[in-house]
Amino acid sequence: MKLFIDTANIAHIKECQSLGILDGVTTNPSLMAKEGIKGSKNILNHYVEICRLVDGDISAEVIATDYEGMIREGGELASLHRNIVVKVPMLKEGIRAIKTLSGKGIKTNCTLVFSASQALLAAKAGATYVSPFLGRLDDVSTDGLELIAQIRKIFNNYKFATKILSASLRHPMHVVKCAEIGSDVATAPYAVLMALFNHPLTDTGIERFLSDFKKSQG
Ligand code: G3P
């Protein structure tokens, strides 16, 4: 399973990249705003900076919600760098835009997916990725992981090439369960990626080894 970081924070991207665990980056307008990136020129430059740091797929989201606007913005984003994946919201016009962009050889990520029927439509339109938001489903008392399993089954049944990019992950067990289910990618915030490293028995084990080594040195 590939691991992406869900952030627009350059320091966090650099750190995960240096650890050798990063396969790509996902962003969205909220994450860009969180980093204080304002104005279309700055936003486009920020995407280019991320592409220079990570040699993997980098999702950049369109703001338009009409077909023509999404095609125009999608083309502009795709022209920034070969690793850009155009993130398109799950709308009727979005599915239409994904079909057109895919036909032009532009990689797409259908975002804000909350049901298997939406994922099926995105796959039929030729999306490169489909992004089910599992944490937001959990937030409304619906099993997000169950949706990932459902989509995995459907995509396997018909050998859809569309990859499942599980998003809105809130804790390490979301990542582990996505891996068990067979999600192609899990994208997670920095804190969740860092939490994957931790185990208290590792910490106490290291402490004991070091203290025993010191004793053995007299
Ligand atoms: O990739 C989607 C993600 O950014 C949404 O996460 O935590 O806002 O539901 P969250």
Side-chain angles (χ1 to χ4, degrees), residues 46-83:
H46 201 76
Y47 287 137
V48 173
E49 190 177 354
I50 295 173
C51 288
R52 286 189 183 136
L53 290 172
V54 180
D55 187 19
D57 282 349
I58 313 296
S59 285
E61 189 156 344
V62 298
I63 302 301
T65 52
D66 63 299
Y67 172 77
E68 281 77 17
M70 285 187 270
I71 297 299
R72 189 180 58 253
E73 274 184 48
E76 194 179 3
L77 289 169
S79 71
L80 292 175
H81 194 278
R82 64 184 163 79
N83 286 348

Side-chain angles (χ1 to χ4, degrees), residues 6 26 28 31 87 133 135-136 167-170 187:
D6 194 32
T26 50
N28 62 40
L31 293 171
K87 214 170 175 186
F133 278 28
R136 290 194 194 182
S168 183
L169 274 60
R170 303 282 170 75
T187 189

